Amino acid sequence: LPLSSADDVSLHWRDANKQWASLQAGDVVPRKHWPVLDRFPMFQLDQERPANTPYYVRIAHARVPFSAPLYIYRGSELVAQREIEHFFLGAYFGLAILVSLVGVALARAMRDTSFLHYVAYVGLIGMAQACFTGLAARYLWPQATTWSDLSNFFFTSMAAAAGLWFVRSMLKTRVFSPTLDVFTLLLVAA
């Protein structure tokens, strides 16, 4: 299920003794207890079970409407898909780090704090993307189920505020319009 913020995803089937068995993943379960350690809730179907075994998937997702496709991959297809994803994610985050380093260097060279505001904005956008793609929950806080659930909203909101703060510092609103400056500060605080 390619949705890193899914609250509760479980796979159910009947075992050889006709008893219900299940696996569970999602934000309600620490990542180390997921059946397959990944960015997204994932389950490995056992090849020892009969081919006609019916599987049932239950998805519980609060707060926002749920809309994500379900995929079934063969092992080699999944590995190829993950390699492509990690290549592009690595390129994105590498570029974000490079832009941040250049911003810090320019802030120091030009003695202009607007570059530091931009670095904060880029960093918070990067964290929001890390949360959205599941990388943050997978690598930075795999034990924190509640924080994994809330981090998407927190970093997205903080990035929006940092973006407004950056625009305020670039436009020098306090020089041209004190009223606009106060309004921008109130919007950042909101």
Side-chain angles (χ1 to χ4, degrees), residues 122-139:
V122 169
L124 288 166
I125 284 286
M127 281 304 297
Q129 287 298 323
C131 294
F132 181 74
T133 59
L135 290 173
R138 168 74 174 92
Y139 296 110

Side-chain angles (χ1 to χ4, degrees), residues 6-190:
D7 291 336
D8 187 7
V9 182
S10 53
L11 178 72
H12 305 273
W13 71 95
R14 288 190 183 266
D15 62 16
N17 298 326
K18 303 295 183 196
Q19 300 295 315
W20 284 104
S22 65
L23 296 171
Q24 186 179 19
D27 284 345
V28 297
V29 179
R31 298 274 168 142
K32 73 175 188 172
H33 297 301
W34 284 19
V36 177
L37 216 48
D38 196 70
R39 298 183 304 123
F40 306 127
M42 185 183 314
F43 305 103
Q44 184 172 350
L45 302 180
D46 192 354
Q47 294 181 358
E48 295 178 10
R49 291 188 202 108
N52 61 351
T53 302
Y55 291 96
Y56 302 93
V57 177
R58 179 181 174 272
I59 302 167
H61 189 65
R63 297 177 317 276
V64 294
F66 169 78
S67 178
L70 291 173
Y71 293 107
I72 298 177
Y73 289 104
R74 294 192 186 287
S76 59
E77 293 171 344
L78 180 64
V79 169
Q81 178 73 23
R82 287 298 185 260
E83 286 176 350
I84 291 168
E85 290 172 1
H86 283 103
F87 173 78
F88 285 111
L89 288 169
Y92 173 81
F93 289 109
L95 184 61
I97 291 169
L98 178 64
V99 166
S100 297
L101 291 173
V102 169
V104 169
L106 285 171
R108 188 168 184 200
M110 303 278 200
R111 291 176 171 58
D112 187 355
T113 58
S114 296
F115 290 107
L116 294 178
H117 297 153
Y118 182 69
V119 168
Y121 172 65
V122 169
L124 288 166
I125 284 286
M127 281 304 297
Q129 287 298 323
C131 294
F132 181 74
T133 59
L135 290 173
R138 168 74 174 92
Y139 296 110
L140 300 178
W141 45 78
Q143 306 295 336
T145 56
T146 304
W147 179 242
S148 292
D149 200 23
L150 298 174
S151 61
N152 278 335
F153 301 106
F154 175 77
F155 283 109
T156 303
S157 301
M158 294 302 292
L164 286 169
W165 187 266
F166 168 64
V167 169
R168 175 187 174 268
S169 71
M170 288 299 296
L171 296 179
K172 310 282 189 231
T173 55
R174 64 183 167 271
V175 173
F176 296 106
S177 174
T179 305
L180 180 61
D181 189 57
V182 169
F183 177 73
T184 306
L185 287 173
L186 290 173
L187 199 55
V188 166

